[in-house]
Amino acid sequence: MSYRTALSEVLTDVVRPIAEATRIQDRFPRGTVTALGQAGLLGLTVSAELGGGGLELREAADVVTRTAHVCPSTAAVLLSHYAAVAVLEAYGCPWVRGEIAAGRHLASLALAESEPGADGEGFGAEEPLLAPRSVATHSGGVVALRGRKRGVVAAGEADTYVWSSRPLAAPDGLTLWAVPAHAPDLFVPARPGVEGPRGTATSTVLADPVLMPAEAMLGTDGGGLDVVLRTVLPWLLELRAAAQPFRPANPVELGSARHRADSLAAS
């Protein structure tokens, strides 16, 4: 079965009947996520060698677009998931990638630390992603991660967060980590209000601190800056545009955003 056929069935049988309730009741679409996983759509971009779909950004954007027509909340969850999986697919451990491929694992990005809307509208908010205030210290093979991430989609619902911190020892850049949601002292405070689209469980996530093995690092210490610029931002650009089927992306804005990302990557 093609991914488009699988998606059509999930949208018709699962997503559409609860889309309005998801928005009105601000309820995370857990049943939808489960159905997407069972249909192979959470693992769409994971290597076929691990049981995933082996597809790329173009197909992920197609899934997000078609889902957004039915349920924008579910599309936002997929957007963050696919962008996080792009990093995990390149640097994550085979077990996590296999769980995503099997449809049992939801990923999300935990990169932003500024107040929502503090950096203006549109894609002009990439700069705060490049200078995290979260810190990581290590003793032996254990890393202590401390920080507060805002605007995390599927907060308290995802299984793994792609988290950024200052480097352990590198003089500059940032470092990325695969943080398991079940880690002790990683928690979502009581939500005082909606930070993102209703039904997406978008909220703040705190690490106070979270202890992890050093092997949870994604890539190299300080090398996360290049990963954000060359992987995360391009995926976010395309997927954010795909998630707005009723408001076509402004080509001037997208061109400007791509230019900024390319300029930062080249500097």
Side-chain angles (χ1 to χ4, degrees), residues 11-12 26 28 36 41 51 64 78 91 100 126-128 143 158 160 169 189 199 202 221 229 255:
L11 291 178
T12 299
D26 192 17
F28 185 79
L36 289 167
L41 294 162
V64 169
L78 284 173
Y91 302 102
I100 296 170
E126 72 271 4
E127 286 81 0
V143 172
T160 294
T202 300
D221 187 35
L229 290 172

Side-chain angles (χ1 to χ4, degrees), residues 57-58 60-62 64-65 79 123 231-244 249 254-255 257-258:
L57 174 56
R58 179 178 179 179
D62 182 41
V64 169
T65 295
L79 188 162
F123 193 72
T231 300
V232 176
L233 292 182
W235 276 70
L236 284 178
L237 263 176
E238 297 300 330
L239 294 174
R240 283 176 177 173
Q244 299 176 2
L254 287 181
R258 289 195 180 93

Side-chain angles (χ1 to χ4, degrees), residues 31 39 53 66 68 104 110 151 164 167 170 182 193 241 258 267:
R66 297 177 67 198
R104 296 188 291 263
S164 61
H182 60 75
R258 289 195 180 93
S267 62

